[in-house]
Amino acid sequence: MVPARNGMLKCRFCGSTVKDPSYTPPAEPPRQAAAPQTASPTGFAGGQGGSFVYEKNINGILEIECRFPTSISAGSGFMVAPGYAITNTHVVTNNAQPCRDITVRLADETISASIVCLGDDQGGHGNGVDLALLKLARVPRNAKIVSLADFGAVKVGESVFVIGNSLGHGTCITGGIVSDKCRQVDGHMLLMTDCAVNGGNSGGPIFNAAGNAIGAIVSGITSAEGMNFAIPANVVAEFIRRNNVQYNMVR
């Protein structure tokens, strides 16, 4: 008999096999525990950032309609305190004249709104900050307050998301990265992103992957691809604070 595979002995003449009584199976190598699945900053394993950010904030995003004597314009905004919202000055003015007929749609309700403060007296084209604070006639039933992020923690290259009333056709979400944290545009230091942005997105928030607003969309270069800009969250926070409104800041 000669050794065969798997602890068997084989007859060299007839080919029959029998079990080798002295055979000891080799020990199995220790099994390695599966690597733990790391949760993304959103709390979803696998990094489902866009869906998380959208669900967390959709009831805090405003679709804004401004009716002027000779025109109608659309924009975006976001709730920063019960009954108060942020948008751009240029959304709610026409030739630097404030709109007197503003309606917002939020959480499936349409509500009138009024301007509390404009950050720029030239309709967003001056030296002031292109922000406006709105007061809603009432707080929608399911309204959600959008939290601001600590802008100091923003990193170039991190994933971000924009939610807004693109082209005035209703709220949608787009994604991209922070292309530049401090880009000087017309004398203002702005955040630059490659998130898709169109007319109607102005005044809406840009979020980090944790679902906190790192800025307010303000402009884009239409002749370029993926060069869009937002007013940093620290500037937004200072504007709100000057108007004595409490807001949520996540550090």
Side-chain angles (χ1 to χ4, degrees), residues 1 38 77-78 104 119 121 131 147 158 178 193 216 221 238 245:
M1 304 292 280
T38 303
F78 55 104
V104 302
D121 61 4
L131 291 172
S147 296
E158 71 172 281
V178 174
T193 180
I221 299 177
E238 176 59 25
V245 173

Side-chain angles (χ1 to χ4, degrees), residues 77-104:
F78 55 104
M79 296 283 290
V80 293
Y84 290 91
I86 282 290
T87 186
N88 291 144
T89 290
H90 76 257
V91 168
V92 294
T93 60
N94 185 12
N95 294 323
Q97 296 303 309
C99 183
R100 305 298 180 188
D101 185 1
I102 303 172
T103 56
V104 302

Side-chain angles (χ1 to χ4, degrees), residues 150-162:
D150 177 8
F151 192 74
V154 173
K155 298 183 184 303
V156 173
E158 71 172 281
S159 296
V160 289
F161 304 91
V162 169

Side-chain angles (χ1 to χ4, degrees), residues 114-185:
S114 58
I115 298 170
V116 175
C117 179
L118 296 175
D120 185 80
D121 61 4
Q122 297 183 44
H125 302 289
N127 295 324
V129 60
D130 193 353
L131 291 172
L133 182 67
L134 303 182
K135 189 174 192 321
L136 279 60
R138 59 182 175 81
V139 180
R141 289 186 300 274
N142 298 314
K144 176 72 182 290
I145 302 304
V146 172
S147 296
L148 299 177
D150 177 8
F151 192 74
V154 173
K155 298 183 184 303
V156 173
E158 71 172 281
S159 296
V160 289
F161 304 91
V162 169
I163 305 179
N165 184 22
S166 186
L167 295 177
H169 291 170
T171 299
C172 63
I173 182 170
T174 59
I177 62 170
V178 174
S179 304
D180 191 353
K181 184 175 177 179
C182 298
R183 177 63 61 99
Q184 187 163 343
V185 181

